Amino acid sequence: MEDRTTGAGDAAAPLRLDPDRLFPPEATLRGIARRLYEGVKDLPIVSPHGHTDPRWFAEDAPFPDPATLFIVPDHYIFRMLHSQGIPLERLGVPSRDGTAVESDPRKIWRLFAENYHLFRGTPSRFWFEHALTEVLGVETRLTAKTADAVYDAVAARLASPDCRPRALYERFNIEVIATTESPLDPLAHHKKLRASNWRGRVITAYRPDPVVDPEFDGFAAGVTELGAMTGCDTESWQGYLAAHLQRRRYFAELGATSTDHGHPTARTADLAPKAAEALYRKVYLGKATAEEAELFRAQMLTEMARMSLEDGLVMQIHPGSLRNHSRAVYRRFGRDKGFDIPTPTDYVQALRPLLDKFGDEPRLTLILFTLDESAYARELAPLAGVYPALRLGPAWWFYDSPEGMRRYRQAVTETAGFYNTVGFNDDTRAFLSIPARHDTARRVDCAYLAELVADHRLAEDEAHEVAGDLAYRLAKKAYKL
Ligand SMILES: [Zn+2]
């Protein structure tokens, strides 16, 4: 590994975020962006889709050490380090095959600090530095030399009562935050939260992939468990659908307003009842081919849309990720280890069966995401720009970044407008990065709006209103929060 312990920029340089970050450098534009941002920077955070752990809010225990908080669970961080030859086991990522992994958080932290330059120009660095300075008040740039000092400062802050999950929720000015759970989750933490007198609003979302995707690890056992939980006969197609409806209702009682579907493609289907029943039979018995598994997922999206018309849950589709690309890493470490890679994704043909049935239904809200940026202007904006049931989710995952957000607005606005989009989702499990992510979205949107104002496509008072809609009101409306 290259030695960077004596390089330039390695002194204990102070770390401060520039108040004009992400604004255009040109003075006129910058002035407009600043004024727009002033109007939205303090709006509450609405986080309608994400992956924080409800246990944090239910138990309100202090967060663990700096490495366990910032590095071990963050696939953005360890995938970059892995790409430069640092094995996941040295970063403390738990193995599932008994491979020994590093357990000393300070050693993990030092390794991260020695390689911190790898994150230059990435949103990971942006979020991390926002968390250090704005959330934890640590104003030293991370380098190999400052690693221990920064570690100790972060650890001390994490131990203080004002850095407990509930205190941070309040400090972040969160109005509502959604987590994501499987239908098989008993939602114990959400129940505890409902019963507590804490005023934070933490809600769940229904993510049925483990019992909808026949190729999901443990699918058959999951379907059996779904039957046992609900008292429905999941051996039969009708019983299986009834079990979903029942779990959805339970999720809604605990605050859920949405479902989420992480399918490999956006394919939908509308089979005749007898054909759907026969397909389910094959799937249930574990006899479905890969094509039949795909058709089943497709049929289930249409079934979920039908259920949404009944119970009002907003539907989200997050397609197009080829999960666990490295089979070796999957075998050793399991899912969500940075090896989920975007694939080209079709929407126009794929969504047609569902849209034929429910696309004109204003009571349905179906929010589409993509990892295929070429689909924004060609497919997604034209679809969302005409079907009342469709909305566009914000730039997602690899594109949840300043450049990704900019490209998103540029590609979709002229066809879909602002009001077929749904504001921002942080979609994160990294709780301390939430203010940074929302702040980034607000700044990038204000910078984009500033351009429209500067070339006289939009009056500044209208831009103010749009900025508030994008930062706050659209998410509340789309997700019925
Ligand atoms: Zn998500």
Side-chain angles (χ1 to χ4, degrees), residues 351-370:
L351 290 173
R352 203 168 182 187
L354 188 154
L355 293 175
D356 267 342
K357 199 132 198 152
F358 303 121
D360 275 332
E361 190 45 85
R363 289 178 303 140
L364 177 69
T365 302
L366 172 53
I367 302 172
L368 300 173
F369 294 80
T370 197

Side-chain angles (χ1 to χ4, degrees), residues 54-76:
R55 177 193 297 269
W56 298 335
F57 308 106
E59 295 180 354
D60 202 32
F63 284 109
D65 62 85
T68 308
L69 181 61
F70 281 110
I71 302 165
V72 178
D74 192 333
H75 55 73
Y76 289 89

Side-chain angles (χ1 to χ4, degrees), residues 227-251:
M229 279 178 109
T230 55
C232 297
D233 172 20
T234 51
E235 243 182 83
S236 80
W237 173 231
Q238 287 312 323
Y240 170 76
L241 293 177
H244 275 293
L245 256 183
Q246 193 190 120
R247 290 306 286 165
R248 291 169 60 109
R249 203 169 303 130
Y250 183 65
F251 271 58

Side-chain angles (χ1 to χ4, degrees), residues 49-51 180 207 260 318 396 427:
H49 173 74
H51 302 276
T180 311
R207 171 92 172 219
D260 183 28
H318 282 93
W396 172 43
D427 197 6

